[in-house]
Amino acid sequence: MKSVFVASGSFLPPKVVTNDDLSKIVDSSDEWIFPRTGIKQRHIVEDETTADLATIACERALEKAGWTADSVDLIILATSTPDMDFPATAAVVQKQLGASKAISFDMQAVCSGFVYALSTADLYLKAGKAKRALVIGAERMSSLLDWTDRGTCVLFGDGAGAFALEAKETTEEEGLIDSILYTDGTQADILCAGSKEHPKTFMNGREVFRHAVAKMEEVSREVLDKNGYTADDITYLIPHQANDRIIQHIGKSMGLPADKVISSVRNHANTSAASIPLAFDEMAQAGKIKKGDLIVFTALGAGITWGASLLRI
Ligand SMILES: CC(C)(COP(=O)(O)OP(=O)(O)OC[C@H]1O[C@@H](n2cnc3c(N)ncnc32)[C@H](O)[C@@H]1OP(=O)(O)O)[C@@H](O)C(=O)NCCC(=O)NCCS
């Protein structure tokens, strides 16, 4: 049994905040932000909830897949910005979609959340515990920002992306080939939010940068090597979209040409768990994802958590 990719969808809230807009509320500038991060703008919610963003991304994926909502039996929503302490935001998405037969739960691995959720859905599908899954990354990172802290508030944005995956008996090489996940809780204090000491997002930027470049490259190589591939075999590397300097650094270290290394951080900023499916869906909408493509997704986030998934379209 394999977990085969069927379709993707995404949604960005309409309100756009540019670097110039931000410079009016914090002591910063496009001249500082863009060269260090590659970010030009971010989308920010007005009254949309995380469930709203996720629901629209799923509706778009369902439409492309040609599935009805009640044919879905598993919904996994990766988010660090749930709408309530409980119930899970995934349960609200289930209701809003009308996916009445799906078990639905949230997954919290911050910026690695989508890779953790893909890996979990893959286990359900391969084990025959589900047939059709929606795997979502959805975030309102704007709710976790201190808008007076220029060191963090310029880096994040809101949005959602979703994959429709289906269990299929096939001898062809297609679908999720493998995922490798890691957690190192000893580094929990370098990036956190919601504690007494740090009610909003706190980040030791240099430390996060150091871990991100080393670990995303390492785990991407590991997932390729373990499955008999090299970097030369991949069609695209789609890393977590936090900082274009991190993304380009990983691509260069892996010897990949620029057109294989996907970066959408310029327009989205860091949307945490939503960043990978958003970047992917943008490629899909542009007609750049084809049957047979071999794609590595890799992410690192608070925890710290990191991982990589290998997908054959
Ligand atoms: C955030 C990041 C771009 C900061 O770059 P940096 O070169 O490390 O910058 P520093 O934080 O050391 O700050 C350098 C100076 O710029 C200032 N600065 C910070 N943010 C600023 C901003 N938005 N505008 C203007 N100046 C800013 C600092 O106050 C500091 O000034 P000082 O030297 O007078 O004290 C970089 O560390 C980074 O990308 N880290 C990884 C972030 C990430 O990917 N996080 C998510 C992972 S899931």
Side-chain angles (χ1 to χ4, degrees), residues 28 32 111 150-151 154 203 205-206 208-209 242-243 246 270 300:
S28 189
W32 193 94
C111 297
R150 66 180 181 173
V154 302
M203 180 171 66
R206 297 230 165 135
V208 175
F209 196 103
N243 181 320
I246 296 176
N270 180 351
L300 178 132

Side-chain angles (χ1 to χ4, degrees), residues 16-28:
V16 171
V17 177
T18 65
N19 292 347
D20 290 338
D21 295 333
L22 271 186
S23 310
K24 291 175 192 140
I25 60 166
V26 281
D27 181 13
S28 189

Side-chain angles (χ1 to χ4, degrees), residues 223-236:
V223 80
L224 286 167
D225 190 45
K226 192 178 148 209
N227 292 282
Y229 295 101
T230 69
D232 289 342
D233 297 316
I234 65 179
T235 319
Y236 298 117

Side-chain angles (χ1 to χ4, degrees), residues 84-112:
M84 295 175 268
D85 289 338
F86 60 82
T89 302
V92 180
V93 173
Q94 186 226 29
K95 177 191 75 173
Q96 292 186 168
L97 288 173
S100 54
K101 297 185 188 113
I103 62 156
S104 310
F105 56 89
D106 290 356
M107 181 148 274
Q108 223 296 31
V110 204
C111 297
S112 307

Side-chain angles (χ1 to χ4, degrees), residues 26-29 32-33 36-37 110-112 149-156 191 203-210 212 216 240-246 270 272 299-302:
V26 281
D27 181 13
S28 189
S29 62
W32 193 94
I33 300 167
R36 281 173 183 78
T37 67
V110 204
C111 297
S112 307
D149 175 12
R150 66 180 181 173
T152 52
C153 77
V154 302
L155 302 175
F156 294 91
L191 182 55
M203 180 171 66
N204 179 337
R206 297 230 165 135
E207 272 299 287
V208 175
F209 196 103
R210 192 174 67 78
M216 284 196 274
H240 168 50
Q241 306 286 309
N243 181 320
D244 195 54
R245 276 164 55 217
I246 296 176
N270 180 351
S272 189
L300 178 132

